[in-house]
């Protein structure tokens, strides 16, 4: 396999039948079993299972995560905005300048276990809240409800969502196919083992300002706080 994200593990030997050979004297009649021998490759574990730049090319950023070009998807469309458009709230600006949008899904072969999915978003098209509102379904369950990126983070601002997904059928399924306004979108996705979220959080903390860290410790009254106050004070804006 011409892909350095996989490594050879072992040979797989399968019995596929038998072939009979009959020889004249002095060779006796014999039966030879047929086997199929194929190499088995396993995806390397690099602290994460998958890192995909949705709608964009390969990219390796400050966190030393090697994002693959957009793959494992079905459906949707892709766009990339100019490289000189700034993206706030991240050191991985190139990731958030590209997107897959529309009705689409990602299907990742993976071991059956509990995994953490990191969905990365940035609104690079619309200017006003309410312009794009959508849900995300992971493993048949709603993981994101009525997400309005502009309302949560503003335009051209990184916004990440973490979700723990239980996989039971050796395939992680993520669907972007419902929207109450416009179409769903995605900037990038990372799949890490459950329990491996701590390094990702530490990376985020290293990038946060003092004001953002204080915002994470603020106990807000969810019944009265406004979206603008959430944005201005960074309340829950990093680890939502």
């Amino acid at each position: 396999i011409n892909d350095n994200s996989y490594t050879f593990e072992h040979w797989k030997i399968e019995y596929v039948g038998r072939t009979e050979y009959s020889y004249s004297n002095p060779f006796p009649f014999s039966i030879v079993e047929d086997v199929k021998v194929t190499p088995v490759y396993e995806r390397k574990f690099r602290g994460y299972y998958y890192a995909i730049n949705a709608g964009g090319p390969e990219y390796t950023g400050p966190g030393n995560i090697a994002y693959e070009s957009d793959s494992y998807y079905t459906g949707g469309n892709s766009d990339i905005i100019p490289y000189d458009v700034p993206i706030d709230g991240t050191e991985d600006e190139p990731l958030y300048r590209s997107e897959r949008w529309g009705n689409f899904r990602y299907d990742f072969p993976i071991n059956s276990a509990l995994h953490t999915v990191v969905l990365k978003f940035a609104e690079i098209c619309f200017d006003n809240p309410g312009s794009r509102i959508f849900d995300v379904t992971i493993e048949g369950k709603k993981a994101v409800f009525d997400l309005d990126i502009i309302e949560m983070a503003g335009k051209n601002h990184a916004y990440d969502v973490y979700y723990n997904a239980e996989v039971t059928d050796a395939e992680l399924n993520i669907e972007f196919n419902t929207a109450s306004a416009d179409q769903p979108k995605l900037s990038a996705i990372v799949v890490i083992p459950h329990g491996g979220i701590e390094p990702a959080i530490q990376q985020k903390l290293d990038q946060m300002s003092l004001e953002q860290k204080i915002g994470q410790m603020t106990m807000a009254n969810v019944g009265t706080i406004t979206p603008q106050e959430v944005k201005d004070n960074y309340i829950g804006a990093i680890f939502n």
Side-chain angles (χ1 to χ4, degrees):
I1 295 180
N2 186 22
D3 184 341
N4 62 12
S5 64
Y6 288 83
T7 182
F8 173 77
E9 287 292 319
H10 58 269
W11 291 101
K12 180 180 180 181
I13 302 177
E14 299 174 272
Y15 173 70
V16 294
R18 66 183 187 180
T19 303
E20 297 183 355
Y21 296 93
S22 179
Y23 298 94
S24 59
N25 188 49
F27 298 101
F29 174 86
S30 65
I31 299 177
V32 178
E33 293 185 343
D34 290 339
V35 294
K36 179 182 179 182
V37 181
T38 54
V40 174
Y41 293 85
E42 297 288 344
R43 193 173 187 85
K44 292 179 182 177
F45 179 67
R46 301 156 289 179
Y48 56 94
Y49 293 111
Y50 292 96
I52 304 295
N53 185 11
E58 294 180 357
Y59 165 79
T60 300
N64 204 32
I65 296 178
Y67 288 82
E68 302 175 52
S69 59
D70 205 0
S71 53
Y72 297 97
Y73 68 85
T74 302
N77 308 277
S78 62
D79 280 319
I80 300 180
I81 60 174
Y83 71 91
D84 57 349
V85 175
I87 303 294
D88 297 325
T90 182
E91 294 184 353
D92 290 310
E93 293 185 59
L95 283 179
Y96 297 89
R97 293 192 185 107
S98 65
E99 65 179 5
R100 178 154 296 280
W101 61 271
N103 292 325
F104 61 97
R105 62 182 294 139
Y106 284 83
D107 300 293
F108 299 105
I110 199 167
N111 60 307
S112 294
L114 186 63
H115 302 286
T116 297
V117 179
V118 185
L119 302 174
K120 297 178 176 289
F121 302 100
E123 183 53 70
I124 58 177
C125 179
F126 298 113
D127 297 308
N128 301 311
S131 299
R132 188 197 306 272
I133 302 174
F134 62 96
D135 300 337
V136 181
T137 300
I138 300 179
E139 286 297 288
K141 298 179 180 179
K142 284 291 179 65
V144 179
F145 298 83
D146 289 336
L147 177 59
D148 186 333
I149 304 170
I150 289 286
E151 185 176 67
M152 296 306 298
K155 185 176 183 180
N156 295 341
H157 194 291
Y159 182 79
D160 295 355
V161 174
Y162 292 75
Y163 181 81
N164 292 325
E166 182 72 42
V167 176
T168 59
D169 59 355
E171 186 173 73
L172 174 63
N173 309 119
I174 306 172
E175 300 176 76
F176 300 76
N177 58 8
T178 61
S180 56
D182 201 70
Q183 299 287 329
K185 67 148 295 173
L186 176 70
S187 299
I189 185 169
V190 181
V191 182
I192 59 181
H194 181 62
I197 192 171
E198 287 81 2
I201 291 178
Q202 186 59 56
Q203 179 187 344
K204 266 297 188 191
L205 287 171
D206 292 341
Q207 299 172 3
M208 289 166 61
S209 66
L210 176 61
E211 291 80 6
Q212 289 173 321
K213 291 177 181 177
I214 292 173
Q216 297 306 300
M217 297 182 287
T218 301
M219 297 297 293
N221 186 333
V222 296
T224 59
I225 193 169
T226 67
Q228 189 60 46
E229 288 174 321
V230 170
K231 178 182 176 183
D232 291 344
N233 298 291
Y234 304 101
I235 299 174
I238 305 300
F239 299 126
N240 270 359

